[in-house]
């Protein structure tokens, strides 16, 4: 049998020489071709490798080594250790806008003269007390708002009730009872960051017709402010004023209780309180905007308490799901509250009155005022609107009693708005109200005479603690 085995081995060697393949000797030894060059295989390298590995092996001291492409070990480590970065979509972010509302900007002649004096002091000129400039030069009202300017400018949206309108160049500047205000007032309000300026109030027809209204509306627009209250005719009341900020839309409505007995005889439509008008406009407003805000000029003057007409219309606004009501006209503070619609659960923020902002009125109750601020939040997921963080910041309008120098002049000067916490007893002594109360023998604050203590007492008796900053509770 031995020669037969050797013969078989020889035959296998011949096959190897012809094919250039290595094999395992059936007798137990591994063999390979003795030639360094072999006829190229028609199989690709992978197929060749597969063909070789499919041959049977017995106990072999060496394994066949196939060529392997070397790689940089550092690169291999870096690739294997680097995590895959998956960018996840960011969570939607709610839009939150800050809103601040200021009360009656009722510019009496004493305020005109103060503005002329501030301008003269800044420009080294003299005041001509016998004439009021009719253009926007010759006045500087900005110093009056110095201590509240940042609050107004920093709000995303700032509202004011401009209760005295302007007739423009060539018209006579005048005071109570039929005002015509210098253009510089609006110019300075725009500088202070006022966005929305209300014109619907009892003085909107002080020219005896709609001339002041028609002049003020485009003039305010030219300064970048959005005016409220002028409708060219009744059909125009269907054109709801829409204000947009950062993707949030506000429908702005305004109503007044009266116009001091003056009747408009042109086509101009005056937005008096009227249930049919209110229902129609609020319905349109909801279809057009995210937020519905109403400016309401109503109530009794010099009264800390809302009257029945105010309550009735407040209920109507709540029924119609108005979001915020900003009340003006009483020239003093009135209550602030949440009102809930019993059927839908909708909550409405209601301020019956902010009081004055700047005026020449002489009672102590006329100089204790409020700036209301709140946030408007629009949900990124649902679009739902919520009114949050409502606060009434109390302020005091300060002025001193000086000599009267001009027409309709009470002699009050040095007008300046202070936050109540910054007001001092020294300023109380200087205030023109102190002089006025002694002269008249009357007081109008809760608790009596004009004093820091009674300013706080009045504030806390009118405004609920939940709406006051911590230091005033």
């Amino acid at each position: 049998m031995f020669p037969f085995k050797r013969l078989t081995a020889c035959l296998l060697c011949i096959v190897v020489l012809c094919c250039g393949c290595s094999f395992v000797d059936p007798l137990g030894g591994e063999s390979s071709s003795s030639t360094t060059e072999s006829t190229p295989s028609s199989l690709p390298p992978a197929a060749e490798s597969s063909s070789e590995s499919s041959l049977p092996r017995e106990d072999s001291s060496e394994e066949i080594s196939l060529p392997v492409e070397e790689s940089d070990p550092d690169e291999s480590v870096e690739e294997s250790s680097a995590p895959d970065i998956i960018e996840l979509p960011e969570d939607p972010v709610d839009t939150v806008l800050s809103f601040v509302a200021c009360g009656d900007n009722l510019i009496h002649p004493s305020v005109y003269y103060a503005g002329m004096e501030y301008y003269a002091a800044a420009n080294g000129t003299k005041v001509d007390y016998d004439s009021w400039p009719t253009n926007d030069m010759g006045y500087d009202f900005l110093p009056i708002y110095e201590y509240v300017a940042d609050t107004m400018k920093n709000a995303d949206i700032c509202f004011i009730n401009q209760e005295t309108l302007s007739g423009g160049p060539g018209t006579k500047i005048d005071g109570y009872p039929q005002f015509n205000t210098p253009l510089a007032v609006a110019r300075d309000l725009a500088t202070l960051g006022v966005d929305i300026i209300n014109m619907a109030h009892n003085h909107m027809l002080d020219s005896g017709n709609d001339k002041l209204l028609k002049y003020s509306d485009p003039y305010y627009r030219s300064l970048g402010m959005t005016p409220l209250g002028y409708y060219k005719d009744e059909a125009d009341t269907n054109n709801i004023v829409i204000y947009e900020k950062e993707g949030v839309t506000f429908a702005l409505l305004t109503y007044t209780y009266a116009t001091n007995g003056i009747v408009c005889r042109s086509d101009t439509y005056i937005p008096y309180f009227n249930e049919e008008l209110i229902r129609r406009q609020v319905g349109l407003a909801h279809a057009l905007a995210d937020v519905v805000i109403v400016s309401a000029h109503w109530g009794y003057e010099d009264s800390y308490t809302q009257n029945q007409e105010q309550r009735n219309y407040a209920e109507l606004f709540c029924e119609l799901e108005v979001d915020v009501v900003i009340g003006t006209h009483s020239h003093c503070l009135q209550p602030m509250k949440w009102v809930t619609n019993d059927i839908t659960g909708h909550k409405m923020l209601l301020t019956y009155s902010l009081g004055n902002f700047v005026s020449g009125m002489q009672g102590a109750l006329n100089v204790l005022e409020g700036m209301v601020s709140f946030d408007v939040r629009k949900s990124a997921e649902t679009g739902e609107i919520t009114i949050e963080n409502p606060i009434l910041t109390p302020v005091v309008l300060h002025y001193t009693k000086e000599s009267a120098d001009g027409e309709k002049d009470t002699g009050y000067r040095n007008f300046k708005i202070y936050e109540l916490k910054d007001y001092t007893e020294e300023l109380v002594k200087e205030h023109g109200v102190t002089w006025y109360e002694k002269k008249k023998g009357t007081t109008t604050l809760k608790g009596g005479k004009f004093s820091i203590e009674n300013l706080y007492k009045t504030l806390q008796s009118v405004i609920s603690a939940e709406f006051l900053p911590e230091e005033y509770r």
Side-chain angles (χ1 to χ4, degrees):
M1 295 300 292
F2 178 78
F4 176 77
K5 289 183 179 180
R6 287 296 181 188
L7 178 60
T8 302
C10 288
L11 291 173
L12 288 171
C13 287
I14 292 171
V15 173
V16 169
L17 289 173
C18 293
C19 299
C21 296
S22 61
F23 72 100
V24 179
D25 189 327
L27 298 179
E30 184 180 43
S31 178
S32 64
S33 167
S34 61
T35 58
T36 57
E37 294 184 9
S38 60
T39 305
S41 168
S42 60
L43 295 174
E48 291 183 290
S49 172
S50 176
S51 174
E52 290 174 4
S53 62
S54 65
L55 294 175
R57 294 184 182 175
E58 296 183 7
D59 295 340
S60 173
S61 59
E62 290 186 29
E63 293 184 354
I64 299 171
S65 298
L66 299 176
V68 179
E69 183 178 348
E70 294 184 0
S71 61
D72 186 333
D74 292 335
E75 289 183 3
S76 177
V77 171
E78 182 178 345
E79 289 178 2
S80 62
S81 62
D84 291 334
I85 299 175
I86 301 175
E87 293 188 4
L88 297 175
E90 294 183 0
D91 291 335
V93 178
D94 293 351
T95 301
V96 181
L97 299 174
S98 58
F99 193 112
V100 65
C102 310
D104 301 341
N105 221 42
L106 184 60
I107 312 302
H108 288 86
S110 57
V111 183
Y112 303 161
Y113 288 120
M116 293 166 68
E117 291 180 359
Y118 281 131
Y119 178 88
N123 292 277
T125 59
K126 291 185 178 181
V127 177
D128 181 3
Y129 290 101
D130 294 326
S131 67
W132 288 324
T134 60
N135 57 23
D136 62 355
M137 299 300 294
Y139 302 95
D140 183 3
F141 298 103
L142 288 174
I144 299 175
Y145 306 90
E146 177 183 3
Y147 299 139
V148 294
D150 285 346
T151 300
M152 298 172 73
K153 291 177 181 177
N154 292 338
D156 291 314
I157 304 171
C158 181
F159 165 99
I160 197 167
N161 178 48
Q162 181 53 44
E163 195 156 350
T164 55
L165 304 182
S166 298
T171 59
K172 183 179 183 297
I173 301 300
D174 208 345
Y176 183 83
Q178 290 178 264
F179 294 84
N180 181 15
T181 296
L183 295 174
V185 171
R187 175 202 65 195
D188 290 348
L189 291 178
T191 300
L192 289 163
V194 170
D195 301 291
I196 302 166
I197 184 166
N198 181 56
M199 305 185 298
H201 42 62
N202 56 306
H203 289 287
M204 67 191 298
L205 297 178
D206 273 5
S207 55
N209 48 40
D210 58 4
K211 288 183 178 179
L212 294 181
L213 192 59
K214 283 184 172 179
Y215 183 88
S216 295
D217 183 84
Y219 179 63
Y220 295 162
R221 292 182 193 278
S222 74
L223 295 172
M225 296 184 287
T226 298
L228 308 179
Y230 172 65
Y231 299 101
K232 63 183 181 181
D233 52 32
E234 186 171 1
D236 195 25
T237 60
N238 291 321
N239 297 319
I240 307 301
V241 176
I242 302 296
Y243 184 87
E244 190 274 341
K245 184 81 171 184
E246 296 183 20
V248 181
T249 50
F250 296 78
L252 305 170
L253 305 174
T254 184
Y255 307 99
T256 181
Y257 77 100
T259 50
N260 292 344
I262 301 173
V263 178
C264 183
R265 302 192 184 280
S266 70
D267 288 337
T268 297
Y269 187 89
I270 304 302
Y272 298 112
F273 277 92
N274 174 289
E275 183 173 344
E276 185 279 327
L277 172 67
I278 291 170
R279 287 186 179 277
R280 175 165 51 82
Q281 286 196 315
V282 174
L284 292 169
H286 279 303
L288 296 170
D290 299 310
V291 187
V292 179
I293 294 182
V294 169
S295 171
H297 202 72
W298 55 4
Y300 296 139
E301 292 188 359
D302 297 337
S303 172
Y304 293 120
T305 305
Q306 65 274 22
N307 64 24
Q308 189 58 50
E309 183 180 46
Q310 288 173 280
R311 295 187 187 97
N312 292 343
Y313 279 110
E315 289 177 5
L316 176 62
F317 291 138
C318 184
E319 174 195 332
L320 299 176
E321 299 192 345
V322 167
D323 294 293
V324 179
V325 175
I326 301 169
T328 56
H329 175 63
S330 69
H331 307 307
C332 64
L333 290 175
Q334 288 188 343
M336 181 175 175
K337 62 192 297 186
W338 288 108
V339 185
T340 302
N341 184 313
D342 292 335
I343 298 174
T344 67
H346 177 81
K347 291 180 66 177
M348 180 181 78
L349 180 63
L350 169 63
T351 303
Y352 277 114
S353 182
L354 298 171
N356 289 333
F357 200 48
V358 172
S359 83
M361 297 184 75
Q362 303 179 80
L365 81 171
N366 303 134
V367 300
L368 175 60
E369 311 163 346
M371 299 175 72
V372 164
S373 60
F374 53 87
D375 293 331
V376 177
R377 179 183 295 275
K378 182 177 181 180
S379 169
E381 293 186 352
T382 66
E384 180 184 2
I385 293 293
T386 51
I387 306 301
E388 303 175 343
N389 307 316
I391 290 291
L392 184 141
T393 300
V395 295
V396 177
L397 175 65
H398 180 77
Y399 51 79
T400 60
K401 174 61 177 160
E402 311 294 337
S403 61
D405 294 300
E407 183 183 359
K408 298 184 178 181
D409 184 14
T410 57
Y412 296 131
R413 298 290 189 273
N414 304 308
F415 287 82
K416 190 85 72 174
I417 303 171
Y418 289 83
E419 188 174 339
L420 177 55
K421 67 181 178 63
D422 299 323
Y423 205 65
T424 65
E425 291 291 358
E426 190 61 34
L427 290 170
V428 166
K429 293 176 184 177
E430 296 175 1
H431 204 299
V433 165
T434 299
W435 170 86
Y436 182 78
E437 285 189 342
K438 288 180 180 178
K439 178 184 175 182
K440 292 292 184 179
T442 59
T443 61
T444 54
L445 292 181
K446 305 282 187 179
K449 69 176 184 177
F450 185 62
S451 66
I452 299 295
E453 179 183 358
N454 289 334
L455 286 167
Y456 273 81
K457 185 177 293 185
T458 302
L459 171 71
Q460 293 162 353
S461 69
V462 176
I463 305 299
S464 174
E466 69 173 305
F467 298 113
L468 291 175
E470 186 66 36
E471 58 266 39
Y472 298 106
R473 298 177 184 175

